[in-house]
Amino acid sequence: KPQLLTEGLSPAEQRMEEERKIDQRRPSGWDSKSHREATFPVNVIHKGLIVDVARADASQKIDKVRILNCIAGEQDLDETPHPEHTRYLEVNRGLAGVFAVAA
């Protein structure tokens, strides 16, 4: 079964909260989010905490090249990317932060 972590509520959960403002007996979107995320695999969260975009894989080699160059702010996305770049670290930290909040 697919699992989903979101920053904030999903669109369906947002609708639930809007309906709850009108009728407090309606289900809570926040409760729904909590229930949905409770079964998210802990090992995936752990991997998210130690993500390294420069060493990560992509389905196609050219995708990884272009992703890294985009992160680094390079104009030519098809050039060989820098093996290390300060922006990679910023992305790693940002992603780790998202997973840390989810944990």
Side-chain angles (χ1 to χ4, degrees), residues 1-13:
K1 179 180 174 185
Q3 302 288 321
L4 178 67
L5 291 178
T6 59
E7 187 173 341
L9 299 175
S10 70
E13 292 158 348

Side-chain angles (χ1 to χ4, degrees), residues 37-93:
E37 292 182 349
T39 59
F40 196 86
V42 176
N43 65 321
V44 174
I45 292 174
H46 176 64
K47 287 180 182 180
L49 292 171
I50 58 172
V51 69
D52 183 344
V53 296
R55 290 184 178 78
D57 292 324
S59 57
Q60 302 288 320
K61 183 177 179 181
I62 192 64
D63 290 341
K64 179 176 179 175
V65 167
R66 290 175 177 163
I67 290 167
L68 292 177
N69 281 324
C70 184
I71 291 170
E74 296 295 332
Q75 295 296 317
D76 187 348
L77 299 182
D78 292 332
E79 287 295 315
T80 301
H82 297 284
E84 294 183 17
H85 195 283
T86 57
R87 289 191 182 168
Y88 301 162
L89 183 58
E90 292 171 13
V91 170
N92 293 342
R93 287 179 178 162

Side-chain angles (χ1 to χ4, degrees), residues 15-31:
R15 284 191 298 277
M16 291 172 73
E17 283 299 304
E18 291 299 319
E19 292 170 3
R20 188 171 167 83
K21 287 178 185 176
I22 298 167
D23 181 355
Q24 286 292 310
R25 296 172 292 176
R26 303 290 295 180
S28 165
W30 289 104
D31 286 346

